[in-house]
Amino acid sequence: MIKIFNLFVMLHVLTLSAQQVKKPKLVIGIVVDQMRYDYLQKFKKQFGSKGFNRIIKNGTTYENAHFNYIPTYTAVGHASIYTGTTPKNHGIIGNNWYDKYNDKSVYVVHDNSYKTIGSFSNEGKRSPKRLIASTVSDQLKLAQHFKGKVIGIAIKDRSAILPVGHAADIAYWFDGGKIGNWVSSSYYTEVLPSWVSLYNTMNKLKLSEYLTSPWVTRKKIHKYTESRDDFSEYEGRFNGEEKPVFPHDLGALKDKNGTYDLLKNTPFGNTMTLDFAKEIVKNETLGKSKKYSDFLAISISSTDYIGHKYGAGSKEIEDAYIRLNNDLNDFINYLNRKVGNKNYVMFVTADHGVVEIPNYLMEHKIPGGYFSKKELFIKLNQFMDKTYGSYSLIKDYSNEQIFLDHIEIDKLGLKLEEVQNQLINEIVTYPNVHRAVSAYAMQNAEFTKSPLSLLQEGYHQKRSGDILLTLEPTVISDYYTKTGTTHGSGYNYDTHIPILFYGGNIKKGKKVKRPVNITQIAPTLSNILQIQEPNMSSHEILTEIFESN
């Protein structure tokens, strides 16, 4: 009897172990564009038991997760999350950057080699060619001999393309204007799946409903207690709108705001993204294979558009997250019905945070300010003329990086390192500049403390400039002097984001307070999928999600 009991116990343990290492049939990545970690706490009561709070209760939450590089931009964030490494390796140093070899500015996913699939615009001339590293989904494709499906979706093209890497089956993004279609690139296919073409046609009715209805708050506006007064002179306005206040009359505004593009700047952009994601799950039968795992990368873009326009403390942001919370909860319910709650693993994170509107901060005696790229360029050229007798030594200034003309420096018989150091000594005397460092220092020293360590992780030897600088806290581009705000720094408001894991055998109700980095997501997913991690990935995994429940 004892032997039989011991055999039963052993079989039970083996069964539990098998369940714990069982690969998910579907992995879903959700990146919320411009979501600060503190939103989870700020809007906790507004979320109720749904959405984000549901994931936190039934999953693992990392409360002290940060980006470990500068700059914190959309393309860079998405690339870093899915490759498991930083710009110094994967090569995505901005949304746009100056190509010093071809002497022009480039957009991260633009590629004239391809055409639009799904409309007659140029929005499909896109590919992931500038991404140097592999993604976790690339590795999944390799591990499964290119079986199983990998699909990306976002309103923004870069947010759909970069997460799913080079070997994806397809990526979709939204072509707004007068078109209003989900489109793709001939990099992936020569024709949209028939169900997508039909969906685009049928979806026009829903999009028209959004555009003819006012954007009003989901709850009574007096219940929005986690945001400032509805009217603020520092918030942006839609073209044709007198004040940035609810309700926003979309029907009256659509013609002056790009028709379907207007939806990107409302919570309805998030809703239509997750609605399309449901259709992808259904029509592509994701999570239904008995042998292969599928991967769906979703990026929620409208939170970024809204945050830029209205700021982190606005009624519009509070409403956007209340609505997103409901949409997320509905999506989870859909997955549970279609895939089964034990058959998928989901993670939720963000590509960066955002700073509160500097004008608003300064009004309340909190330091902040604005920095002029134009003024910097003029002052630096005057300095170079005075010092070296030339106005032609600076080629470009972008993403807080200065690119020098190496050929001109050689012609004048100057030493590059000396010119870099002279510029640094000049720049750090300017108002609102915090630190400056040369490419030479990036290549010949190992920095361990912020901000230089963050700059070093964001520095790519072939693509980055000669001098990298950081601005003082809550100082942003003067593009936003009148209204709105932005991101991109290495300060906590831009780097501190949530990392949530949910589904499958993920540890439930676990809250982790130790510091972790965004680059640990990809190797963790690789471990879950039992595949090789991306080729440049961090080796550190988030072990807490594997603890037995």
Side-chain angles (χ1 to χ4, degrees):
M1 182 65 72
I2 293 175
K3 289 182 179 180
I4 294 174
F5 176 76
N6 288 339
L7 179 61
F8 173 78
V9 171
M10 184 172 68
L11 288 172
H12 180 64
V13 171
L14 288 172
T15 300
L16 287 176
S17 298
Q19 289 175 348
Q20 289 171 356
V21 300
K22 181 182 177 183
K23 292 202 302 182
K25 293 183 177 181
L26 174 63
V27 171
I28 300 164
I30 298 181
V31 178
V32 183
D33 203 323
Q34 202 189 108
M35 183 177 184
R36 292 162 37 143
Y37 172 78
D38 65 328
Y39 289 171
L40 289 179
Q41 304 303 320
K42 190 176 182 180
F43 305 133
K44 183 176 181 179
K45 291 183 179 179
Q46 298 282 29
F47 293 155
S49 60
K50 298 178 179 179
F52 290 109
N53 285 343
R54 178 181 183 180
I55 293 172
I56 292 169
K57 180 180 178 181
N58 296 287
T60 298
T61 303
Y62 289 87
E63 299 180 337
N64 194 15
H66 285 261
F67 280 92
N68 51 340
Y69 60 80
I70 297 172
T72 44
Y73 295 137
T74 295
V76 193
H78 284 77
S80 300
I81 289 165
Y82 285 92
T83 62
T85 191
T86 56
K88 75 174 183 181
N89 291 319
H90 61 58
I92 303 302
I93 62 170
N95 296 331
N96 304 271
W97 64 83
Y98 174 70
D99 183 335
K100 55 192 176 186
Y101 300 106
N102 294 303
D103 192 23
K104 65 178 183 178
S105 178
V106 296
Y107 176 55
V108 59
V109 291
H110 182 260
D111 193 337
N112 274 324
S113 300
Y114 302 98
K115 63 182 180 180
T116 308
I117 304 299
S119 82
F120 296 104
S121 74
N122 290 321
E123 292 302 310
K125 292 184 175 183
R126 306 288 186 264
S127 84
K129 72 175 183 180
R130 292 185 176 89
L131 180 64
I132 295 170
S134 68
T135 64
V136 63
S137 58
D138 284 330
Q139 298 302 140
L140 180 62
K141 277 291 193 180
L142 282 167
Q144 299 182 151
H145 306 291
F146 298 91
K147 302 295 195 302
K149 296 178 180 178
V150 170
I151 299 174
I153 170 182
I155 285 177
K156 297 179 181 180
D157 48 21
R158 57 187 180 270
S159 304
I161 293 169
L162 295 173
V164 291
H166 307 85
D169 291 271
I170 198 165
Y172 299 103
W173 50 97
F174 189 67
D175 192 350
K178 299 289 185 180
I179 295 171
N181 281 354
W182 292 100
V183 300
S184 191
S185 164
S186 57
Y187 174 86
Y188 304 101
T189 182
E190 289 300 320
V191 62
L192 286 182
S194 58
W195 74 263
V196 176
S197 296
L198 179 60
Y199 181 80
N200 276 332
T201 300
M202 302 298 291
N203 194 42
K204 288 294 195 302
L205 180 61
K206 186 67 175 177
L207 298 184
S208 295
E209 289 178 7
Y210 290 144
L211 284 174
T212 54
S213 303
W215 173 16
V216 298
T217 53
R218 182 69 174 76
K219 300 180 180 182
K220 298 293 185 182
I221 198 167
H222 71 268
K223 294 184 178 180
Y224 284 27
T225 57
E226 299 303 324
S227 46
R228 58 175 171 261
D229 292 341
D230 192 20
F231 175 72
S232 170
E233 61 182 309
Y234 306 128
E235 295 178 3
R237 295 165 175 78
F238 290 116
N239 293 330
E241 191 174 45
E242 290 186 9
K243 292 183 178 181
V245 297
F246 283 105
H248 299 283
D249 189 350
L250 303 187
L253 296 170
K254 66 179 187 297
D255 291 338
K256 293 184 178 181
N257 291 273
T259 313
Y260 291 114
D261 280 335
L262 179 59
L263 295 178
K264 300 176 183 179
N265 295 271
T266 75
F268 307 125
N270 297 332
T271 303
M272 70 184 193
T273 301
L274 287 172
D275 282 347
F276 187 44
K278 294 175 192 173
E279 293 297 316
I280 292 173
V281 171
K282 179 178 73 174
N283 289 280
E284 299 293 346
T285 62
L286 300 187
K288 295 297 184 181
S289 173
K290 294 182 179 180
K291 186 176 181 181
Y292 303 109
S293 297
D294 300 318
F295 202 112
L296 177 61
I298 304 168
S299 185
I300 303 297
S301 304
S302 290
T303 42
D304 184 68
Y305 290 110
I306 296 167
H308 276 294
K309 183 180 289 290
Y310 298 104
S314 64
K315 288 282 189 287
E316 283 79 4
I317 274 292
E318 186 165 3
D319 188 64
Y321 276 92
I322 288 171
R323 289 177 178 273
L324 175 58
N325 188 68
N326 291 337
D327 290 339
L328 185 57
N329 194 72
D330 186 54
F331 185 60
I332 292 171
N333 289 339
Y334 185 85
L335 291 173
N336 290 345
R337 293 194 304 270
K338 290 291 183 180
V339 183
N341 61 350
K342 288 293 184 181
N343 293 324
Y344 69 88
V345 166
M346 174 192 294
F347 74 88
V348 180
T349 189
D351 57 348
H352 53 72
V354 70
V355 64
E356 184 51 279
I357 298 173
N359 272 326
Y360 176 76
L361 295 174
M362 290 188 288
E363 185 182 86
H364 292 81
K365 301 180 180 179
I366 297 174
Y370 296 89
F371 188 78
S372 172
K373 169 185 173 180
K374 182 179 179 180
E375 289 182 10
L376 175 71
F377 207 75
I378 292 172
K379 290 175 71 173
L380 288 181
N381 274 314
Q382 289 174 343
F383 172 77
M384 296 300 260
D385 181 53
K386 180 180 178 181
T387 307
Y388 299 111
S390 175
Y391 273 96
S392 304
L393 295 181
I394 299 175
K395 296 280 284 185
D396 189 80
Y397 174 79
S398 56
N399 299 325
E400 274 64 72
Q401 297 186 29
I402 297 169
F403 294 80
L404 298 176
D405 189 330
H406 292 199
I407 295 176
E408 189 68 19
I409 288 172
D410 286 342
K411 284 182 180 178
L412 294 176
L414 303 173
K415 292 183 178 179
L416 178 61
E417 183 184 355
E418 178 187 322
V419 175
Q420 290 175 349
N421 288 333
Q422 286 278 16
L423 268 177
I424 288 170
N425 291 334
E426 171 69 10
I427 291 168
V428 294
T429 66
Y430 295 169
N432 293 327
V433 173
H434 181 223
R435 297 291 293 270
V437 62
S438 68
Y440 180 86
M442 292 283 99
Q443 296 172 31
N444 292 278
E446 191 72 27
F447 298 104
T448 59
K449 293 184 178 181
S450 174
L452 296 185
S453 61
L454 301 182
L455 283 172
Q456 192 161 51
E457 289 296 326
Y459 172 80
H460 189 271
Q461 187 171 358
K462 293 181 69 173
R463 294 179 176 176
S464 294
D466 291 276
I467 295 171
L468 293 76
L469 59 94
T470 63
L471 305 179
E472 291 179 347
T474 66
V475 173
I476 63 174
S477 166
D478 64 346
Y479 174 84
Y480 297 93
T481 301
K482 293 183 179 179
T483 63
T485 188
T486 193
H487 49 83
S489 79
Y491 297 112
N492 289 330
Y493 48 74
D494 280 339
T495 67
H496 191 190
I497 43 80
I499 296 179
L500 314 175
F501 275 84
Y502 174 85
N505 291 304
I506 300 297
K507 174 71 175 178
K508 294 183 178 180
K510 180 73 173 179
K511 295 183 179 180
V512 183
K513 298 186 183 298
R514 72 179 177 94
V516 299
N517 293 324
I518 201 73
T519 50
Q520 292 174 256
I521 291 176
T524 302
L525 292 173
S526 301
N527 192 285
I528 291 172
L529 289 164
Q530 301 168 38
I531 60 174
Q532 178 67 47
E533 64 270 14
N535 54 25
M536 288 186 167
S537 171
S538 160
H539 301 151
E540 299 176 353
I541 66 172
L542 302 168
T543 56
E544 291 82 3
I545 71 168
F546 299 104
E547 294 177 3
S548 58
N549 288 306

